[in-house]
Amino acid sequence: MTSVKQKEIRMKNKIFELYKPDSLAEFLTFHKNNPEEKFVYVAQQPPANINILSASDFGYLVICLPNTGPESQAIYSTSPFVRKMKKNLQDFRPQDYLLAIGDPIIIGICNIAISDVTNGKFNVLKWDRREYRYYPLELDFYN
């Protein structure tokens, strides 16, 4: 197997974490150089007991915020989270998905930030508890 092919296979399992500077830089470069790829923006890193890897069937996983520490909950002020999510989701495209997991306030901020970028029309992934799989849904806030 060629090294290009090996790198391609390794990248399919890549998870980008936008709150880590090196991972953010890697994501920005990859996103720019691969405009045809799909991405699943995960609002917040899930707890250790929740496995979201099957969502990668819909695109590369891009985790916007951690699930621990001061950046994990909007308690006193939402302004820092609004700014951060607007920046993290500014390149959301019609072929991308939102995986809404984490703090409900942060999920709401994600929906609004994405709606601003996409004029209210975007894709989300919905977990089906009976089938144990994600289903893609299209949201259209204006129709």
Side-chain angles (χ1 to χ4, degrees):
M1 191 180 298
T2 68
S3 63
V4 173
K5 198 82 144 149
Q6 288 172 334
K7 185 175 182 182
E8 184 178 313
I9 290 169
R10 268 197 315 271
M11 284 302 291
K12 288 292 182 190
N13 295 323
K14 179 70 180 158
I15 298 174
F16 299 101
E17 297 169 296
L18 301 184
Y19 53 91
K20 294 181 178 177
D22 291 343
S23 187
L24 172 61
E26 186 179 9
F27 168 72
L28 293 172
T29 301
F30 185 80
H31 189 273
K32 180 181 177 184
N33 294 335
N34 298 279
E36 72 289 346
E37 293 292 349
K38 295 178 183 180
F39 297 92
V40 176
Y41 289 85
V42 182
Q44 198 166 21
Q45 182 183 31
N49 65 331
I50 296 177
N51 185 341
I52 62 167
L53 289 179
S54 62
S56 65
D57 292 345
F58 296 90
Y60 290 91
L61 298 180
V62 180
I63 301 174
C64 296
L65 292 175
N67 68 359
T68 59
E71 296 180 331
S72 66
Q73 289 188 20
I75 295 176
Y76 301 111
S77 174
T78 58
S79 296
F81 292 95
V82 170
R83 284 191 299 277
K84 190 171 295 201
M85 295 316 283
K86 279 183 162 184
K87 185 176 180 185
N88 284 347
L89 298 167
Q90 67 187 351
D91 296 319
F92 195 96
R93 300 163 304 169
Q95 71 262 32
D96 295 331
Y97 294 87
L98 171 64
L99 179 56
I101 189 168
D103 183 323
I105 296 299
I106 292 171
I107 292 169
I109 292 168
C110 287
N111 281 293
I112 294 167
I114 292 170
S115 185
D116 285 350
V117 172
T118 63
N119 295 317
K121 190 174 182 177
F122 59 95
N123 300 310
V124 296
L125 293 177
K126 163 87 171 90
W127 179 252
D128 185 311
R129 292 181 200 163
R130 287 187 225 146
E131 298 291 325
Y132 293 101
R133 64 175 289 221
Y134 289 102
Y135 285 95
L137 298 172
E138 183 180 281
L139 294 181
D140 189 344
F141 284 110
Y142 303 114
N143 277 330

